[in-house]
Each structure stands twice: as structure tokens, then as C-alpha cells.
Amino acid sequence: MTRPAGPGAAGAGRASPGGAWLVGQPPRAEAVAGVSLYCFPHAGGTPGEFVRWSQDLPGVRVRAVQPPGRASRLFEPPLRRMADLVDALVAAIGTETAVREGRVAFAGHSLGALVAFEVARTMEARGVPGPDRLVVSACPAPPEAVPPGGVLHLLPDLELLREIGRRWGPLPEEIRADPELLAYTLRGFRADLEALETYRYVPGPPVRCGIVAIGGTGDPAAARMDRWSAHTAGPFALHTLPGGHFYFRDRRLETLRLLHTAITGPGP
């Protein structure tokens, strides 16, 4: 994670300039009429990791979601409710899909899978052009996606930091060594966890787009991902890859080959 320029001014209680909800590299020529892939990061995740996927996804234009409270929007107040995230993303993505040629796909990891699902079903309900394919990664299907208890977002900073390290791995040293940067990073994590832990699934029609579910063999979430099949009226497929919750980091090329097939092929 790269620290944004000028943190002193933004971190001193003054509002930072509004940042883009969607970021990505300029599309290659072959991706202009190909597939637009919108990537939704996990709790505390930043868009850069997913933007770099475009290097290994020929014919795909990658657009990564960048909510307030992370990356170049680190000093903006983060959103703490799923409904607020969904409404903002429907507007941002819908502006692009309304004029976009070619296919559209969503891919979300962990919390991002849940956000992507809610954005997809909201776009369909509102008649906004949405995805042709939804890829959900390392996330149980609703209503099981919300962990019991719902207390992580209420933990003091030190306890929250320990839980993040225990569950998902330690934050980078450059973040942990900088008190100001750590405080803003934990604020973003806390907001994401609050959005997850206060989320309540409202039953509704299944989405029309097909769903592809992917999980790591060592991640407990993978054992419950077959239940995503109940949330689509289209085709469904379930894949597992060796690894834990962040299987795609160790199996990057294998993951991206599977993802490429899922979003460009005729079916899951």
C-alpha cells in the first residue's frame, strides 16, 4: 500500500479532495470492445492489487472499486453501511455500463463478493445495465455471509489490529510503523467490518446473471460456497484452488486463468 501524497494536510482534520470510485489502467486496444471486469476488494483492501490483474487478462478492461477510506481516498470518511456502498457503486458503475459495449463482469473477494452481489441485484431491480457474470470469492452465500457475534468493528484499535493479523495476516510494516497511517488504515478496516456485521440479507429474486464461486481448499468459507447456486437464475459453477482465504496471491496465474475463462467464455 502506498501512502498518498500530502497526508499532513488531509490528516489534520481538513477534508481531502474527493477521489474516484473506480480506478484502472488505460484499456489496451483489444479490451475496448471486450469485457469490462469490475473488482470489489475485501475488507481493508485497496484497488491496486486488482488493477494489476489486467496484465494477465487479455481482452479484459479491469476497473477496481475504490471506496472512501483507502488508497488515494485514505483520508476521506469511510462508509459504514452496506446500503450506502451499494447506492454509490450502482451510480458509479451504472454510469459506465450505460454506454459500455461488450460484456460486463463483477468479481468480489470476501466482503467484496457480498458487495458485488448486492450491487448486481440492485442494478437489476432498478433496470440499470449490470453484469453478465458474477464471480464470488472466499465468501459464504447470504444469509450465512455475516459472521455470528458482529463485534469486530467494536474492538479497540490494538485488539482490532491483533484480530486482523490473526485472521488475515499482519498489515505491512510501513503501515504499522507509522501511527497516523495505521490509524487511518484501521479506520477503513473498522468501517468495512461494520458494514459487514450490520448487513442483513433481504430475500428477493435470484439474479439473472450466472454466478461462479471460487474458494481456497484451506478456507472454511469454501465449504459453504455451493449455496450461491440458490442466488442465480442463470448457470452456476463452483471451483476450489489450493490455499487459504487469500489463495489467489499464491496461485495468481492459475486464478486469473480461471477468472478469464469464467468471464469471457460461454458459461461457468
Side-chain angles (χ1 to χ4, degrees):
M1 180 177 177
T2 302
R3 185 170 184 167
R14 292 189 287 271
S16 61
W21 273 94
L22 302 167
V23 297
Q25 296 176 350
R28 299 186 300 273
E30 75 273 14
V32 171
V35 177
S36 291
L37 173 64
Y38 292 86
C39 295
F40 296 71
H42 47 277
T46 56
E49 180 169 23
F50 302 97
V51 169
R52 289 190 290 273
W53 284 4
S54 62
Q55 302 165 7
D56 296 294
L57 291 172
V60 176
R61 182 190 185 211
V62 176
R63 302 284 282 157
V65 169
Q66 179 182 238
R70 74 238 24 237
S72 66
R73 306 182 71 183
L74 181 64
F75 300 109
E76 295 181 48
L79 299 181
R80 300 178 179 277
R81 290 292 183 272
M82 179 70 74
D84 295 333
L85 281 168
V86 169
D87 283 343
L89 286 167
V90 168
I93 297 173
T95 298
E96 295 190 352
T97 58
V99 296
R100 173 69 183 164
E101 296 182 2
R103 298 170 70 176
V104 172
F106 287 0
H109 181 74
S110 197
L111 170 64
L114 196 58
V115 177
F117 167 68
E118 287 293 342
V119 171
R121 71 196 297 236
T122 301
M123 293 177 84
E124 288 190 358
R126 295 179 183 177
V128 179
D132 303 290
R133 188 68 39 79
L134 170 63
V135 180
V136 292
S137 170
C139 180
E144 296 180 63
V146 179
V151 298
L152 285 182
H153 75 279
L154 300 174
L155 294 177
D157 281 356
L158 287 179
E159 291 184 36
L160 178 60
L161 183 60
R162 282 196 293 268
E163 278 298 306
I164 290 170
R166 185 179 70 84
R167 293 169 183 248
W168 302 296
L171 296 177
E173 175 59 30
E174 62 267 26
I175 294 177
R176 289 182 283 127
D178 185 322
E180 183 189 33
L181 189 54
L182 177 61
Y184 279 100
T185 300
L186 287 178
R187 184 181 70 161
F189 257 106
R190 190 183 302 282
D192 283 350
L193 291 171
E194 185 173 345
L196 173 63
E197 293 176 337
T198 59
Y199 166 77
R200 297 295 180 268
Y201 170 66
V202 178
V207 294
R208 294 188 294 273
C209 61
I211 293 180
V212 177
I214 309 174
T217 54
D219 184 3
R224 295 174 287 162
M225 293 190 65
D226 60 314
R227 298 172 191 179
W228 277 104
S229 62
H231 291 284
T232 176
F236 173 78
L238 173 64
H239 303 275
T240 55
L241 293 174
H245 192 66
F246 288 101
Y247 64 88
F248 60 85
R249 290 176 177 166
D250 293 328
R251 298 275 178 166
R252 184 179 187 276
L253 292 180
E254 190 175 352
T255 300
L256 293 184
R257 283 195 294 268
L258 176 59
L259 178 61
H260 190 268
T261 299
I263 64 177
T264 63

